[in-house]
């Protein structure tokens, strides 16, 4: 089970009005992913996830969730 207490996204200019929806979609995407192991992180910092300006909210969320899952599975957080 994945529990996220707080999700803070830094999005580029032009995405401000889309942030809430993208955050909800990231949570939806993460709920459907298979994560390995069991870990507790105070913080998970990801490298920049690049998406096109015309990417849909779902495409942006999918890219972010995929990067998060990769880092969680590799133990990339800061315990």
């Amino acid at each position: 089970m994945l529990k996220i207490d707080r999700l803070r996204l830094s999005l580029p200019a032009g995405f401000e009005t889309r942030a809430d929806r993208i955050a909800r979609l990231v949570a939806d995407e993460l709920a459907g992913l298979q994560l390995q192991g069991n870990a507790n992180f105070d913080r998970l910092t990801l490298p920049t996830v690049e998406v096109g300006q015309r990417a849909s909210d779902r495409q942006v969320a999918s890219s972010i969730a995929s990067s998060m899952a990769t880092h969680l599975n590799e133990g990339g957080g800061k315990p």
Side-chain angles (χ1 to χ4, degrees):
M1 178 173 92
L2 177 66
K3 178 183 174 195
I4 300 173
D5 291 324
R6 184 174 73 176
L7 177 63
R8 185 175 139 233
L9 299 175
S10 296
L11 300 170
F15 283 78
E16 299 88 359
T17 61
R18 301 167 61 182
D20 288 340
R21 177 165 164 71
I22 290 170
R24 283 192 302 277
L25 290 169
V26 167
D28 290 347
E29 291 281 333
L30 288 171
L33 295 177
Q34 294 294 328
L35 299 175
Q36 303 168 1
N38 188 10
N40 183 14
F41 299 104
D42 291 333
R43 172 183 294 251
L44 178 67
T45 302
L46 303 176
T48 300
V49 176
E50 294 191 27
V51 295
Q53 185 72 22
R54 295 178 188 236
S56 71
D57 291 349
R58 185 160 303 279
Q59 289 170 320
V60 173
S62 180
S63 295
I64 294 168
S66 179
S67 181
M68 288 176 75
T70 296
H71 282 76
L72 288 168
N73 286 333
E74 293 174 353
K78 295 180 181 177

